[in-house]
Amino acid sequence: MAQTRGIFDALNDNVDKTLQAIMKDRLQELPRIYTGIFNIKTSDRKFERVVTYVPFGDTQAKGEGEVYAQDFLRQGNTKDFTHTENGLKFEVTQTALEDDAENILSRAGDWLAFSARYVEEGRAANPFNNGFTTETTPDGVALFSTAHVLKGGGTAKNTLSTAADLSATSLTQALIDLQTDQKDEAGHLANPVNSWTLYIPPHLEFLADRLLNSVALPGSADNDRNPIKARRSWEIVVNPRLTDPDAWFLVASSKGNHAGTFYRRVPITLDPMAKDPHTNNRIFKVRHRFSVGFWAWQGVFGSPGA
C-alpha cells in the first residue's frame, strides 16, 4: 500500500504550521553500542563458519631413553553464523510527494536507515539477554554456564556458582572465577584479563559507579581501599536494550580476548529511489544482512542476578 495524501493530512492541507518529529528534533538517537562490544567483521559468503581446535595436552614424564608420549592437534567446536536479511519499504504516490509542502516524505531514507540501525542494536543485545537460556556456544550449553564442556576433558564456568545481584562481593567472586576457570579446550589456565567492561542495564548504572569508582571499600564504614578499583581497569557501558534489570556482564575490554562477533554481510543499504511503472509511485527501500553471536565463551562472564 502506498502512502497517499489522506494518510498524513498535515502535509498537504496548506495550513501554516511547524512539523516536528520527536526523534531527532527533540530526542537524540541512541549512540551505537554494539560496535564497542563486538568484533566487527565483513563477510563475503552466505554464512561464516568458525572452527576451534584443541592444543596439545601437558608434557608427560619420561625416563632416560624411553619413548616420548605422543599427542595430536584436534578439532574443537564449530559455530556457524547464518546471516539473516532484513528490509523495509516505503511507497508514496506521486501526488502526495508533489503536495508535500514540508518535504517530509522525500526524507524517507533517513527514517528507513534509522529503523535498520535500531534493529541491529537490538539483535546485538540478544546474546546477552538470552545468554542464560537459548543463546548457546558450540559446546551446546548456554553462553553463561557453570558447565562448559572442554574437549580435553572436564568443565569450566563463566557464571557464578550461585547467581547473585551485582555487589562488591559478587563482583569480587566473578574476578576470582575468571582467574580459575578461564581455560582453553585442553584445560590450560589463561593469563588473567585485567581490563574489563561492566556491561549493564540502566537499573545498575549508579550502583556500578559506586562499586568501581569508590576509593574506599564500597558499602563499608572501613577505610580499606577498594581492591576492585585498584586491581583492575574498568569501563562501564550502559545499554537500555538489556532487558533484565538484575543481570550484569563482564566483557574483556580488548576485543581480541573474547569471541563476540558481528558479521556484516550487507551493510545498511538504501537502494536508489524506484518508480512503479504502473502508478508512478515512488519506492524507497532499505536492506541489510548480518549475524551476531559468540563462537566461544571465554572472555565474558555474566550473572542473571539473584
Side-chain angles (χ1 to χ4, degrees):
M1 177 181 176
Q3 173 110 20
T4 64
R5 289 183 298 174
I7 293 176
F8 200 158
D9 292 334
L11 296 182
N12 56 80
D13 59 11
N14 291 322
V15 176
D16 289 338
K17 68 184 77 67
T18 299
L19 287 176
Q20 298 277 8
I22 297 299
M23 186 63 73
K24 295 191 178 182
D25 288 335
R26 288 293 175 267
L27 302 179
Q28 296 298 309
E29 181 180 351
L30 283 168
R32 287 194 172 186
I33 297 174
Y34 78 87
T35 54
I37 297 294
F38 286 90
N39 294 281
I40 309 299
K41 296 188 176 182
T42 300
S43 173
D44 59 0
R45 60 197 76 183
K46 65 180 181 180
F47 72 92
E48 293 288 341
R49 174 166 292 171
V50 179
V51 180
T52 61
Y53 64 90
V54 183
F56 296 128
D58 297 344
T59 58
Q60 304 295 313
K62 64 177 287 295
E64 181 180 352
E66 292 183 357
V67 298
Y68 287 83
Q70 183 171 314
D71 202 354
F72 302 92
L73 291 175
R74 289 164 290 158
Q75 184 169 319
N77 295 309
T78 301
K79 170 76 172 184
D80 286 348
F81 289 79
T82 302
H83 311 309
T84 59
E85 183 171 355
N86 284 60
L88 196 64
K89 180 181 78 170
F90 172 70
E91 184 173 347
V92 58
T93 66
Q94 184 178 17
T95 307
L97 274 175
E98 290 169 347
D99 290 351
D100 175 16
E102 305 291 336
N103 293 319
I104 298 295
L105 298 177
S106 61
R107 298 203 297 269
D110 290 345
W111 290 106
L112 290 172
F114 167 82
S115 296
R117 290 192 296 270
Y118 199 84
V119 166
E120 288 188 351
E121 283 288 353
R123 282 273 301 280
N126 284 341
F128 295 91
N129 291 331
N130 303 321
F132 304 98
T133 53
T134 58
E135 183 73 23
T136 60
T137 44
D139 60 356
V141 300
L143 172 58
F144 302 105
S145 173
T146 59
H148 285 293
V149 181
L150 302 177
K151 284 289 187 178
T155 60
K157 64 182 179 181
N158 66 338
T159 189
L160 298 171
S161 297
T162 302
D165 291 333
L166 181 63
S167 68
T169 299
S170 63
L171 190 52
T172 299
Q173 185 60 53
L175 295 173
I176 294 171
D177 289 346
L178 282 164
Q179 289 195 74
T180 57
D181 268 275
Q182 287 289 288
K183 301 175 181 178
D184 66 18
E185 290 297 322
H188 302 130
L189 286 169
N191 190 40
V193 174
N194 289 318
S195 181
W196 291 97
T197 294
L198 181 56
Y199 194 42
I200 51 172
H203 311 72
L204 299 178
E205 177 180 3
F206 303 104
L207 171 60
D209 183 72
R210 187 162 65 249
L211 292 174
L212 301 186
N213 294 320
S214 296
V215 175
L217 197 64
S220 171
D222 297 334
N223 290 324
D224 293 348
R225 76 170 186 168
N226 180 0
I228 298 173
K229 172 181 173 64
R231 297 288 296 172
R232 298 290 184 272
S233 297
W234 292 98
E235 179 186 11
I236 298 173
V237 174
V238 180
N239 190 347
R241 297 176 184 85
L242 296 177
T243 55
D244 188 338
D246 298 319
W248 51 277
F249 308 93
L250 300 179
V251 182
S253 294
S254 172
K255 297 178 186 179
N257 291 133
H258 70 76
T261 307
F262 186 105
Y263 282 105
R264 184 169 286 120
R265 178 68 177 94
V266 177
I268 296 172
T269 304
L270 290 167
D271 291 344
M273 186 191 71
K275 292 183 181 180
D276 186 313
H278 302 291
T279 63
N280 234 17
N281 291 347
R282 270 54 170 179
I283 301 171
F284 303 83
K285 291 181 291 186
V286 68
R287 179 175 173 268
H288 51 146
R289 291 175 65 193
F290 64 96
S291 58
V292 59
F294 284 81
W295 51 263
W297 56 270
Q298 289 88 344
V300 290
F301 193 97
S303 173

